[in-house]
Amino acid sequence: EDGTEYLDALAGIAVNGLGHGHPKLVAALAEQVGRLIHVSNVYRIVEQERLADRLCELTGMDEVFFANSGSEANEGALKLVRMFGHKHGNPEAQTIVMEHAWHGRTLATLAATGSDKARKGFDPLPSGFIRVPYNDLAAVQRVAAAEPRVQAVWLEVLQGEGGIRVADAEYLRALRRLCDENAWLLMVDEVQCGIGRTGKWFGYQWAGIQPDVITLAKGLGSGVPIGAVLAGGAARGTFGPGNHGTTFGGNPLACRAGLETLRLIEEEGLIDNAAAMGSRIRAGFAAALK
């Protein structure tokens, strides 16, 4: 307010991937506000359908449910696991989650989050989670041998809140094989590391795997609140009409923001730029450590 300019080096905490005030995004949102901001999901919403199609094209998934935040997207994913368990004779479905994970601050996502500090004062939290060390395949295998109620493995391929930790590509591929062998869902939380931040559209793509469930938010709307749960593979068809719902999720404004964000990331080569800048930074660190 006094004319000083600042650089938002946090990008709004992984939200403002296009920066602030991108003229093409501003114009698209202004046009959408003048036409239609919200209608209920009782009606078809063309922007929602177009964004769902685009996300399925980018991920290879089949179904999309739109929410308003990362926490809501992750709540939807957890509900999907429970429904999947009921449909497959496992009404007490357990989800393997990771130490130091961050999935949100609602009660269920907080129970899955691996932060004692964040959970303190909110007991009793929902049950149904088994926590294991990150990047430790043997720990997951031990749980598989001991707990027949496991129905899913859930992780961020790049942990952010618990310190910057990156899952090994072979670890991710081994988890995919383990889930296939046990008829589990492999769920990937891409809320922070998705939408081009790692030099690919989504972090899991570096390992060449295909999850059953993906959750998105943050950078998808460039500041307009939006979240998404994507389902494919074994998870496809788990939710039927009325199993899950939302008032604001998938509204025309949020989905227009998502469509324009994805279009501009592609148009301006921002994914290749992220990869190039990451390589440059790694090279700089390596030189400094010599």
Side-chain angles (χ1 to χ4, degrees), residues 109-129:
T109 59
L110 198 56
T113 289
S115 168
D116 292 336
K117 180 180 178 181
R119 293 196 303 268
K120 186 176 181 180
F122 295 105
D123 293 325
L125 293 172
S127 60
F129 303 100

Side-chain angles (χ1 to χ4, degrees), residues 158 193-203 206 271 274-275:
L158 192 163
C193 67
I195 318 298
R197 296 188 73 215
T198 67
K200 289 186 182 292
W201 277 110
F202 306 101
W206 287 101
I271 295 178

Side-chain angles (χ1 to χ4, degrees), residues 36-136:
L36 195 62
I37 296 175
H38 174 80
V39 292
S40 78
N41 281 300
V42 170
Y43 308 105
R44 291 183 63 181
I45 300 172
V46 65
E47 295 83 5
Q48 182 180 138
E49 294 178 4
R50 288 174 55 209
L51 182 56
D53 287 343
R54 183 66 177 131
L55 289 173
C56 287
E57 179 183 2
L58 292 174
T59 61
M61 305 298 273
D62 300 305
E63 301 169 339
V64 184
F65 177 90
F66 289 109
N68 307 287
S69 68
S71 289
E72 285 189 36
N74 286 339
E75 283 274 348
L78 292 174
K79 287 183 68 176
L80 188 148
V81 172
R82 300 294 178 91
M83 178 66 72
F84 186 87
H86 277 272
K87 286 187 172 183
H88 291 81
N90 183 13
E92 298 181 358
Q94 305 290 299
T95 299
I96 296 175
V97 294
M98 304 296 152
E99 292 179 359
H100 307 294
W102 188 275
H103 297 297
R105 292 184 181 272
T106 61
L107 285 176
T109 59
L110 198 56
T113 289
S115 168
D116 292 336
K117 180 180 178 181
R119 293 196 303 268
K120 186 176 181 180
F122 295 105
D123 293 325
L125 293 172
S127 60
F129 303 100
I130 303 169
R131 203 173 315 280
V132 300
Y134 189 66
N135 232 359
D136 186 340

